[in-house]
Amino acid sequence: MARRTPRDEHAAAILRELIVITRRGVADARTAPLSLSMTDQSILGYIVDHPECRSVDIAEAFRLNRSTVSRQLAGLTRLGVVREITDASGRGRPLELTETGWAAYREAIDLLQTVVDRHLGDWRDDEVARFATDLTRFNDAASDGDRPRHPETNAPADD
Amino acid sequence: MARRTPRDEHAAAILRELIVITRRGVADARTAPLSLSMTDQSILGYIVDHPECRSVDIAEAFRLNRSTVSRQLAGLTRLGVVREITDASGRGRPLELTETGWAAYREAIDLLQTVVDRHLGDWRDDEVARFATDLTRFNDAASDGDRPRHPETNAPADD
DNA sequence: GGCGTAGCGTTGCATATGACAACAGAAGGA
DNA sequence: TCCTTCTGTTGTCATATGCAACGCTACGCC
């Protein structure tokens, strides 16, 4: 094994912290007193970011089975937060949020924002800006082809 | 609503990016060609970080029900990655990884590390170091009392 | 315009994850 | 010793997810 450089140590620290963030996010989503599950929130967020998207788009984005998204959407429709756009044309059925859906989405985001803000409590403005820039850069680097791939799996079945 | 300052915009960007990281982490954990689920990896990681911890410690750390951890541990024990420390004394049964468990843990970490490294591909060393520092600072600020709390929930049932 | 294919959504079944409640066993304290 | 409390397990249920199979519909080709 190659000697670990300082950069390696820092990269390892980054992974460690990202794991913490993910785990905490999952635990929060599971136990937060919200009516929407994490998957539900993801779906709402995707519809917000991609107006008139279809079920299959959501499935691809989160790499979920079509059936899973179908069922989740059925639940969300029953809840009255999502609906199909009526005058649809072409393949599939474009989706949109209802007013209730927007309210639920904002509620969830606001809740999370307060958590983030609390973490940033004693940060200077320029530090916050820098952190935002770094995070965005980090995520944008994930264009594609960066799915975790098992070394011994040379013929991936997905994507 | 108060006017949005630049700091607010950056904080919102941070939340957005953290959500992306969490979602991606969940999707990766679900579809990665690994034998361990995300929960399993969490448990292994906790045991690594907290040698001789017990089942109930894991449950508290990830805010999972004792029964959930018990069943997950039963599966991991069956897989041969976790075992109870034999000469236990006192309350509960301390846990440790087997050799197989260590190998599985390292495999998972290595896989994730390659993903992180790829994202950091064109970063300078000092940028990587800074990002690591910022992430650590962000997470450490989450000491406690920062669980997402529903505004209308004034009598939380947990903690 | 009619037909075949492919895309899209749904449903049946199986599995994994997780919660809650009830229970069992063991450790500690009075 | 006995009682309480902690710890872990099991029964039962709800949700999330995948796979396979099905049905519908838009599109393309003739």
Side-chain angles (χ1 to χ4, degrees):
Chain A
M1 186 186 299
R3 217 173 67 67
R4 286 175 72 83
T5 65
R7 183 192 175 100
D8 288 339
E9 300 290 350
H10 293 135
I14 288 170
L15 169 59
R16 210 161 42 233
E17 302 300 338
L18 292 181
I19 288 175
V20 169
I21 286 172
T22 301
R23 298 232 207 292
R24 187 142 55 203
V26 171
D28 287 352
R30 193 175 53 238
T31 59
L34 284 175
S35 42
L36 299 174
S37 71
M38 181 156 76
T39 306
D40 290 339
Q41 291 180 43
S42 299
I43 290 176
L44 257 55
Y46 189 86
I47 297 175
V48 167
D49 293 337
H50 303 83
E52 309 200 14
C53 67
R54 302 157 308 154
S55 175
V56 67
D57 301 322
I58 298 171
E60 283 172 12
F62 298 115
R63 297 200 288 158
L64 289 166
N65 195 279
R66 288 202 312 266
S67 63
T68 300
V69 177
S70 171
R71 270 182 270 257
Q72 295 296 103
L73 281 174
L76 293 171
T77 304
R78 216 178 315 114
L79 277 177
V81 295
V82 169
R83 70 168 156 246
E84 297 175 357
I85 294 177
T86 51
D87 57 341
S89 68
R91 282 276 158 81
R93 302 171 219 166
L95 301 164
E96 67 182 358
L97 295 198
T98 63
E99 273 310 309
T100 310
W102 275 101
Y105 178 70
R106 272 192 298 263
E107 179 192 29
I109 289 293
D110 288 350
L111 183 59
L112 295 176
Q113 189 70 63
T114 64
V115 176
V116 169
D117 289 346
R118 188 157 32 217
H119 284 227
L120 298 172
D122 59 348
W123 293 44
R124 292 196 320 267
D125 286 0
D126 66 305
E127 291 171 333
V128 172
R130 185 186 70 195
F131 190 44
T133 304
D134 284 350
L135 278 171
T136 304
R137 180 184 178 194
F138 182 83
N139 279 341
D140 287 352
S143 51
D144 211 355
D146 65 340
R147 298 265 72 72
R149 186 90 64 210
H150 195 284
E152 286 141 37
T153 304
N154 292 322
D158 55 341
D159 60 332
Chain B
M1 187 186 298
R3 216 170 70 63
R4 283 176 73 82
T5 65
R7 183 191 175 101
D8 289 339
E9 301 290 350
H10 292 136
I14 289 171
L15 170 59
R16 212 162 38 234
E17 302 301 337
L18 292 181
I19 288 175
V20 170
I21 286 172
T22 301
R23 298 233 206 292
R24 188 142 54 205
V26 171
D28 286 352
R30 194 176 48 237
T31 60
L34 285 174
S35 42
L36 297 174
S37 70
M38 179 156 75
T39 305
D40 290 339
Q41 291 180 43
S42 299
I43 290 175
L44 256 58
Y46 189 86
I47 297 175
V48 167
D49 294 337
H50 303 82
E52 308 200 17
C53 67
R54 303 157 308 153
S55 175
V56 67
D57 301 322
I58 298 170
E60 282 172 11
F62 298 116
R63 295 198 289 155
L64 289 167
N65 194 281
R66 286 201 314 265
S67 64
T68 301
V69 177
S70 172
R71 268 184 268 258
Q72 295 294 105
L73 281 174
L76 292 171
T77 303
R78 216 178 315 117
L79 276 177
V81 294
V82 169
R83 71 168 156 245
E84 298 175 356
I85 295 177
T86 49
D87 57 341
S89 69
R91 282 277 156 84
R93 302 172 221 167
L95 300 164
E96 67 182 356
L97 296 198
T98 63
E99 273 311 309
T100 311
W102 275 101
Y105 179 70
R106 272 191 298 262
E107 180 192 28
I109 289 293
D110 288 350
L111 183 60
L112 295 175
Q113 189 71 61
T114 64
V115 177
V116 168
D117 288 346
R118 189 155 35 218
H119 284 228
L120 297 172
D122 60 347
W123 292 44
R124 294 196 316 269
D125 285 0
D126 66 304
E127 291 170 333
V128 172
R130 184 185 71 195
F131 190 43
T133 305
D134 284 349
L135 277 171
T136 304
R137 180 183 178 194
F138 182 84
N139 279 341
D140 287 353
S143 51
D144 210 356
D146 65 342
R147 299 263 73 69
R149 184 89 66 210
H150 195 285
E152 286 141 35
T153 303
N154 291 322
D158 56 338
D159 61 332

